[in-house]
């Protein structure tokens, strides 16, 4: 089976840096995605890591260690609009087309 | 480019009644997913289509849920009869079947309340 773990909540202040961790256990692994979801909104794609290392996209970076079954999303220069839920998702299954989502981390950015 | 379209956005029904959700994916996206998201949890895959073929429906409760994707474009997810535990947000997502197939585009979802 598959299981993913994330912290349920994280709180930080504007301008700060926050890291959201994700550990996973899967029978097959092709990559790790991150999605952002505001309350009442649709999940939106942030990043994808198939190989070990850091991927940077603007203020957001994502890291993967396949040997540790671990990844994280790093958000820099936090803004109020970053308050949302963040989900990691493992890509596995036949041809890597199935995605299993984690329980999500609710980020609150304080002024 | 239009995003993934879903309707209705909200639906309230009594238990044992049928309900249907409709999804129009982004033009050209071969892969279509239906997810269910309970409050405070991540999306859970119900069914995945590649064009018109359901390639993974292992998580779909087949006794009451059904889905179809005629002509490989629009898709409909049906529940009959609905139960109280079906209250959730039903999300549709689509992706290309190429090197960026890992990037899913989600619709706004249909929030179902079963009373």
């Amino acid at each position: 089976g598959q299981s993913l773990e994330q912290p349920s909540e994280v709180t930080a202040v504007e301008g700060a840096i926050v890291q959201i961790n994700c550990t996973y256990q899967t029978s097959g692994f092709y990559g790790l995605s991150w999605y952002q979801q505001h309350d009442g909104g649709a999940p939106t794609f942030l990043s994808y890591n198939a190989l070990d290392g850091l991927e940077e996209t603007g203020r957001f970076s994502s890291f993967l260690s396949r040997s540790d079954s671990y990844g994280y999303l790093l958000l820099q220069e936090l803004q109020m609009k970053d308050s949302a839920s963040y989900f990691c998702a493992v890509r596995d299954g036949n041809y890597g087309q199935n995605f299993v989502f984690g329980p999500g981390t609710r980020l609150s950015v304080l002024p | 480019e239009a995003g993934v379209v879903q309707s209705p956005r909200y639906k309230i029904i009594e238990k044992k009644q049928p309900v249907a959700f409709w999804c129009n994916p982004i033009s050209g996206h071969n892969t279509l997913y239906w997810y269910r998201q309970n409050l405070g949890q991540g999306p859970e895959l119900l069914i995945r289509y590649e064009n018109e073929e359901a390639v993974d429906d292992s998580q779909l409760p087949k006794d009451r849920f059904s889905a179809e994707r005629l002509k490989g474009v629009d898709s409909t997810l049906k529940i009959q009869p609905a139960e109280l535990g079906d209250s959730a947000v039903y999300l549709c997502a689509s992706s290309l079947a190429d090197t960026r197939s890992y990037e899913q585009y989600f619709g706004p979802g249909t929030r179902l309340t079963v009373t």
Side-chain angles (χ1 to χ4, degrees), chain B residues 9-62:
Chain B
R9 292 295 312 278
Y10 305 90
K11 189 74 176 178
I12 301 175
I13 61 171
E14 294 184 347
K15 62 182 180 182
K16 300 185 182 180
Q17 294 300 305
V19 65
F21 315 124
W22 176 79
C23 172
N24 181 242
I26 292 174
S27 177
H29 281 198
N30 310 76
T31 308
L32 184 145
Y33 306 80
W34 281 104
Y35 290 90
R36 176 170 58 190
Q37 186 175 27
N38 292 308
L39 188 64
Q41 299 181 22
E44 298 174 300
L45 180 69
L46 292 173
I47 188 168
R48 172 169 63 90
Y49 282 92
E50 295 291 343
N51 298 305
E52 66 275 10
E53 181 182 1
V55 295
D56 187 350
D57 61 356
S58 58
Q59 302 301 314
L60 191 72
K62 298 181 184 63

Coordinates of all heavy atoms in Angstrom, one line a residue, chain B residues 9-62:
Chain B
R9 N -21.6 23.3 -9.3 CA -20.6 23.6 -8.3 C -21.0 23.1 -6.9 O -20.2 22.7 -6.1 CB -20.4 25.1 -8.2 CG -19.7 25.7 -9.4 CD -18.2 25.1 -9.5 NE -17.5 25.2 -8.3 CZ -16.9 26.3 -7.8 NH1 -16.9 27.4 -8.5 NH2 -16.2 26.3 -6.7
Y10 N -22.3 23.1 -6.7 CA -22.9 22.7 -5.4 C -24.1 21.8 -5.7 O -24.9 22.1 -6.6 CB -23.3 23.8 -4.5 CG -22.2 24.8 -4.3 CD1 -22.0 25.9 -5.1 CD2 -21.3 24.6 -3.2 CE1 -20.9 26.8 -4.9 CE2 -20.2 25.5 -3.0 CZ -20.1 26.6 -3.8 OH -19.0 27.5 -3.6
K11 N -24.3 20.8 -4.8 CA -25.5 19.9 -5.0 C -25.9 19.4 -3.6 O -25.0 18.9 -2.8 CB -25.2 18.8 -5.9 CG -26.4 17.9 -6.3 CD -27.2 18.7 -7.3 CE -28.4 17.8 -7.7 NZ -29.3 18.5 -8.7
I12 N -27.1 19.6 -3.3 CA -27.7 19.1 -2.0 C -28.8 18.1 -2.4 O -29.7 18.5 -3.1 CB -28.2 20.2 -1.1 CG1 -27.1 21.2 -0.8 CG2 -28.8 19.6 0.2 CD1 -27.6 22.4 0.0
I13 N -28.7 16.9 -1.9 CA -29.7 15.9 -2.1 C -30.0 15.1 -0.9 O -29.2 15.1 0.1 CB -29.2 14.9 -3.3 CG1 -27.9 14.2 -2.8 CG2 -29.0 15.6 -4.6 CD1 -27.6 13.0 -3.8
E14 N -31.1 14.4 -0.9 CA -31.4 13.5 0.2 C -30.8 12.1 -0.1 O -30.6 11.7 -1.2 CB -32.9 13.4 0.4 CG -33.6 14.7 0.8 CD -35.1 14.5 1.0 OE1 -35.6 13.5 0.6 OE2 -35.7 15.5 1.6
K15 N -30.5 11.4 1.0 CA -29.9 10.1 0.8 C -30.9 9.2 0.0 O -32.1 9.4 0.0 CB -29.6 9.5 2.2 CG -30.8 9.2 3.1 CD -30.4 8.6 4.4 CE -31.6 8.4 5.3 NZ -31.2 7.9 6.6
K16 N -30.3 8.3 -0.7 CA -31.0 7.4 -1.6 C -31.3 8.0 -2.9 O -31.8 7.2 -3.8 CB -32.2 6.8 -0.9 CG -31.9 6.0 0.3 CD -33.2 5.3 0.9 CE -32.9 4.6 2.2 NZ -34.1 3.9 2.7
Q17 N -31.1 9.3 -3.1 CA -31.4 9.9 -4.4 C -30.1 9.8 -5.3 O -29.0 9.6 -4.8 CB -31.7 11.4 -4.2 CG -33.0 11.6 -3.5 CD -34.2 11.0 -4.2 OE1 -34.4 11.3 -5.4 NE2 -34.9 10.2 -3.5
P18 N -30.3 9.8 -6.6 CA -29.2 9.8 -7.5 C -28.6 11.2 -7.7 O -29.3 12.2 -7.5 CB -29.8 9.3 -8.8 CG -31.2 9.8 -8.8 CD -31.6 9.8 -7.3
V19 N -27.3 11.2 -8.2 CA -26.7 12.5 -8.5 C -25.7 12.3 -9.5 O -25.1 11.2 -9.6 CB -26.1 13.1 -7.2 CG1 -24.9 12.3 -6.7 CG2 -25.6 14.6 -7.5
A20 N -25.5 13.3 -10.4 CA -24.5 13.2 -11.4 C -23.6 14.4 -11.5 O -24.1 15.5 -11.3 CB -25.1 12.9 -12.8
F21 N -22.3 14.3 -11.8 CA -21.4 15.4 -11.9 C -20.8 15.3 -13.3 O -20.5 14.2 -13.8 CB -20.3 15.3 -10.9 CG -20.7 14.9 -9.5 CD1 -20.2 13.8 -8.9 CD2 -21.6 15.7 -8.8 CE1 -20.6 13.5 -7.6 CE2 -22.0 15.4 -7.6 CZ -21.5 14.3 -6.9
W22 N -20.6 16.5 -13.9 CA -20.1 16.6 -15.2 C -18.7 17.3 -15.2 O -18.5 18.2 -14.4 CB -21.1 17.3 -16.1 CG -20.6 17.6 -17.5 CD1 -20.6 16.7 -18.5 CD2 -20.1 18.8 -18.0 NE1 -20.1 17.3 -19.7 CE2 -19.8 18.6 -19.4 CE3 -19.9 20.1 -17.4 CZ2 -19.3 19.6 -20.2 CZ3 -19.3 21.1 -18.3 CH2 -19.1 20.8 -19.6
C23 N -17.8 16.9 -16.1 CA -16.5 17.5 -16.2 C -16.1 17.6 -17.7 O -16.3 16.7 -18.5 CB -15.5 16.6 -15.5 SG -13.8 17.1 -15.8
N24 N -15.6 18.8 -18.0 CA -15.0 19.1 -19.3 C -13.6 19.4 -19.1 O -13.2 20.4 -18.6 CB -15.8 20.2 -20.0 CG -15.2 20.5 -21.4 OD1 -14.7 21.6 -21.7 ND2 -15.3 19.5 -22.3
P25 N -12.7 18.5 -19.6 CA -11.2 18.7 -19.3 C -10.7 19.8 -20.3 O -11.4 20.3 -21.2 CB -10.6 17.4 -19.6 CG -11.5 16.8 -20.7 CD -12.9 17.3 -20.3
I26 N -9.4 20.1 -20.1 CA -8.7 21.1 -20.9 C -8.6 20.4 -22.3 O -8.3 19.2 -22.4 CB -7.4 21.5 -20.4 CG1 -7.6 22.3 -19.1 CG2 -6.5 22.2 -21.4 CD1 -6.3 22.6 -18.4
S27 N -8.8 21.2 -23.3 CA -8.8 20.6 -24.7 C -7.4 20.0 -25.0 O -6.4 20.6 -24.7 CB -9.0 21.8 -25.7 OG -8.9 21.3 -27.0
G28 N -7.5 18.8 -25.5 CA -6.2 18.1 -25.8 C -5.7 17.2 -24.7 O -4.7 16.5 -25.0
H29 N -6.2 17.3 -23.6 CA -5.8 16.5 -22.4 C -6.4 15.1 -22.5 O -7.6 14.9 -22.4 CB -6.1 17.1 -21.1 CG -5.2 18.2 -20.7 ND1 -5.1 18.7 -19.4 CD2 -4.3 18.9 -21.4 CE1 -4.2 19.6 -19.4 NE2 -3.7 19.8 -20.6
N30 N -5.5 14.1 -22.7 CA -5.9 12.7 -22.9 C -6.4 12.0 -21.6 O -7.2 11.2 -21.6 CB -4.8 11.8 -23.5 CG -4.2 12.5 -24.7 OD1 -3.4 13.4 -24.7 ND2 -4.6 12.0 -25.9
T31 N -5.7 12.4 -20.5 CA -5.9 11.8 -19.2 C -6.9 12.6 -18.4 O -6.7 13.8 -18.2 CB -4.6 11.6 -18.5 OG1 -3.6 10.9 -19.3 CG2 -4.8 10.7 -17.2
L32 N -7.9 11.9 -17.8 CA -8.9 12.5 -17.0 C -9.0 11.7 -15.7 O -9.0 10.5 -15.7 CB -10.2 12.6 -17.7 CG -11.4 13.3 -17.0 CD1 -12.3 14.0 -18.0 CD2 -12.2 12.4 -16.1
Y33 N -9.0 12.4 -14.6 CA -9.1 11.8 -13.2 C -10.4 12.4 -12.5 O -10.7 13.5 -12.7 CB -7.9 12.2 -12.4 CG -6.6 12.0 -12.9 CD1 -6.0 12.8 -13.8 CD2 -5.8 10.9 -12.5 CE1 -4.7 12.6 -14.3 CE2 -4.5 10.6 -12.9 CZ -4.0 11.5 -13.9 OH -2.7 11.3 -14.3
W34 N -11.0 11.5 -11.8 CA -12.0 11.9 -10.8 C -11.5 11.6 -9.4 O -11.0 10.5 -9.1 CB -13.3 11.1 -11.0 CG -14.2 11.6 -12.1 CD1 -14.4 11.1 -13.3 CD2 -15.0 12.8 -12.1 NE1 -15.3 11.8 -14.1 CE2 -15.7 12.8 -13.3 CE3 -15.3 13.7 -11.1 CZ2 -16.6 13.9 -13.6 CZ3 -16.2 14.7 -11.4 CH2 -16.8 14.8 -12.6
Y35 N -11.5 12.6 -8.5 CA -11.1 12.4 -7.2 C -12.2 12.8 -6.2 O -13.1 13.6 -6.6 CB -9.9 13.4 -6.8 CG -8.6 13.1 -7.5 CD1 -8.3 13.6 -8.7 CD2 -7.7 12.3 -6.8 CE1 -7.0 13.4 -9.3 CE2 -6.4 12.1 -7.4 CZ -6.1 12.6 -8.6 OH -4.9 12.3 -9.2
R36 N -12.2 12.3 -5.0 CA -13.1 12.7 -3.9 C -12.2 13.3 -2.8 O -11.2 12.7 -2.5 CB -13.9 11.5 -3.4 CG -14.7 11.8 -2.2 CD -15.7 10.7 -1.9 NE -15.0 9.4 -1.6 CZ -15.6 8.2 -1.5 NH1 -16.9 8.1 -1.7 NH2 -14.9 7.2 -1.3
Q37 N -12.6 14.4 -2.3 CA -11.9 15.0 -1.3 C -12.8 15.3 -0.1 O -13.7 16.1 -0.2 CB -11.2 16.4 -1.7 CG -10.3 17.0 -0.7 CD -9.6 18.2 -1.2 OE1 -10.0 18.9 -2.1 NE2 -8.4 18.5 -0.6
N38 N -12.5 14.6 1.0 CA -13.2 14.9 2.3 C -12.6 16.1 3.0 O -11.4 16.4 2.8 CB -13.2 13.7 3.2 CG -14.0 12.5 2.6 OD1 -15.2 12.7 2.2 ND2 -13.4 11.4 2.4
L39 N -13.4 16.7 3.8 CA -12.9 17.9 4.5 C -11.7 17.7 5.3 O -11.6 16.7 6.1 CB -14.0 18.4 5.4 CG -13.8 19.8 6.1 CD1 -13.8 20.9 5.0 CD2 -14.9 20.1 7.1
G40 N -10.7 18.5 5.1 CA -9.4 18.4 5.8 C -8.5 17.3 5.3 O -7.5 17.0 6.0
Q41 N -8.8 16.7 4.2 CA -8.0 15.6 3.7 C -7.5 15.8 2.3 O -8.0 16.8 1.6 CB -8.8 14.3 3.8 CG -9.2 13.9 5.2 CD -9.9 12.5 5.2 OE1 -9.8 11.7 4.3 NE2 -10.7 12.3 6.2
G42 N -6.6 15.0 1.8 CA -6.2 15.1 0.4 C -7.1 14.4 -0.5 O -7.9 13.6 -0.1
P43 N -7.0 14.8 -1.8 CA -7.9 14.1 -2.8 C -7.5 12.6 -2.9 O -6.4 12.2 -2.8 CB -7.5 14.8 -4.1 CG -6.9 16.1 -3.7 CD -6.2 15.9 -2.4
E44 N -8.6 11.8 -3.1 CA -8.4 10.4 -3.2 C -8.9 10.0 -4.6 O -10.1 10.3 -5.0 CB -9.2 9.6 -2.2 CG -8.8 9.9 -0.8 CD -9.7 9.2 0.2 OE1 -10.9 9.5 0.2 OE2 -9.3 8.4 1.0
L45 N -8.1 9.3 -5.4 CA -8.5 8.9 -6.7 C -9.6 7.9 -6.7 O -9.6 6.9 -6.0 CB -7.3 8.3 -7.4 CG -7.5 7.8 -8.9 CD1 -7.7 9.1 -9.8 CD2 -6.3 7.0 -9.3
L46 N -10.6 8.2 -7.6 CA -11.7 7.3 -7.8 C -11.5 6.5 -9.1 O -11.7 5.3 -9.2 CB -13.0 8.1 -7.9 CG -13.5 8.7 -6.6 CD1 -14.7 9.6 -6.8 CD2 -13.8 7.6 -5.5
I47 N -11.2 7.2 -10.2 CA -11.0 6.6 -11.5 C -10.2 7.5 -12.4 O -10.1 8.7 -12.3 CB -12.4 6.4 -12.1 CG1 -12.3 5.5 -13.4 CG2 -13.1 7.7 -12.4 CD1 -13.7 5.0 -13.9
R48 N -9.4 6.8 -13.3 CA -8.6 7.5 -14.2 C -8.9 7.0 -15.6 O -9.0 5.7 -15.8 CB -7.1 7.2 -13.9 CG -6.1 7.8 -15.0 CD -4.7 7.7 -14.5 NE -4.2 6.4 -14.2 CZ -3.6 5.6 -15.2 NH1 -3.4 6.0 -16.4 NH2 -3.2 4.4 -14.8
Y49 N -9.0 7.9 -16.6 CA -9.3 7.6 -18.0 C -8.1 8.0 -18.8 O -7.5 9.0 -18.6 CB -10.5 8.4 -18.5 CG -11.8 7.8 -18.1 CD1 -12.5 8.3 -17.0 CD2 -12.5 6.9 -18.9 CE1 -13.7 7.8 -16.6 CE2 -13.7 6.4 -18.5 CZ -14.3 6.8 -17.4 OH -15.5 6.3 -17.0
E50 N -7.8 7.1 -19.8 CA -6.8 7.5 -20.8 C -7.7 7.5 -22.1 O -8.2 6.4 -22.6 CB -5.7 6.5 -21.0 CG -4.8 6.4 -19.8 CD -3.9 7.6 -19.6 OE1 -3.8 8.4 -20.6 OE2 -3.4 7.8 -18.5
N51 N -7.9 8.6 -22.6 CA -8.9 8.8 -23.7 C -10.3 8.3 -23.2 O -10.7 8.7 -22.2 CB -8.5 8.1 -25.0 CG -7.2 8.8 -25.5 OD1 -7.1 10.0 -25.7 ND2 -6.1 7.9 -25.6
E52 N -10.9 7.4 -23.9 CA -12.2 6.9 -23.4 C -12.2 5.7 -22.6 O -13.2 5.2 -22.1 CB -13.2 6.7 -24.6 CG -12.7 5.5 -25.5 CD -11.7 5.9 -26.6 OE1 -11.2 7.0 -26.5 OE2 -11.5 5.1 -27.4
E53 N -10.9 5.2 -22.3 CA -10.8 3.9 -21.6 C -10.5 4.2 -20.1 O -9.6 4.9 -19.7 CB -9.6 3.1 -22.2 CG -9.4 1.8 -21.5 CD -8.3 1.0 -22.0 OE1 -7.6 1.5 -23.0 OE2 -8.0 -0.1 -21.5
A54 N -11.3 3.5 -19.2 CA -11.1 3.6 -17.8 C -9.9 2.6 -17.5 O -10.1 1.4 -17.4 CB -12.3 3.2 -17.0
V55 N -8.7 3.2 -17.2 CA -7.6 2.3 -17.0 C -7.3 2.0 -15.6 O -6.6 1.0 -15.3 CB -6.3 2.9 -17.6 CG1 -6.4 3.0 -19.2 CG2 -6.0 4.3 -17.1
D56 N -7.9 2.7 -14.7 CA -7.8 2.4 -13.2 C -9.1 2.8 -12.5 O -9.3 4.0 -12.3 CB -6.6 3.0 -12.6 CG -6.4 2.6 -11.2 OD1 -7.2 1.9 -10.6 OD2 -5.3 2.9 -10.6
D57 N -9.9 1.9 -12.2 CA -11.1 2.2 -11.4 C -11.2 1.3 -10.1 O -12.2 1.1 -9.6 CB -12.4 1.9 -12.2 CG -12.5 0.5 -12.7 OD1 -11.6 -0.3 -12.4 OD2 -13.5 0.2 -13.3
S58 N -10.0 1.0 -9.7 CA -9.9 0.1 -8.5 C -10.4 0.7 -7.2 O -10.8 0.0 -6.3 CB -8.4 -0.4 -8.3 OG -7.6 0.7 -8.1
Q59 N -10.4 2.0 -7.1 CA -10.9 2.7 -5.9 C -12.4 3.2 -6.1 O -12.9 3.8 -5.1 CB -10.0 3.9 -5.6 CG -8.6 3.6 -5.5 CD -8.4 2.6 -4.3 OE1 -8.9 2.8 -3.2 NE2 -7.6 1.6 -4.6
L60 N -13.0 2.9 -7.2 CA -14.4 3.3 -7.4 C -15.4 2.3 -6.8 O -15.3 1.1 -7.1 CB -14.7 3.4 -8.9 CG -16.0 4.1 -9.3 CD1 -15.9 5.6 -9.1 CD2 -16.3 3.8 -10.8
P61 N -16.2 2.8 -5.8 CA -17.2 1.9 -5.2 C -18.2 1.5 -6.2 O -19.2 2.2 -6.4 CB -17.8 2.7 -4.1 CG -16.9 3.9 -3.9 CD -16.3 4.1 -5.2
K62 N -18.0 0.4 -6.9 CA -18.8 0.1 -8.1 C -20.3 -0.3 -7.8 O -21.1 -0.4 -8.7 CB -18.1 -1.0 -8.9 CG -16.7 -0.6 -9.4 CD -16.1 -1.7 -10.2 CE -14.7 -1.3 -10.6 NZ -13.8 -1.1 -9.4

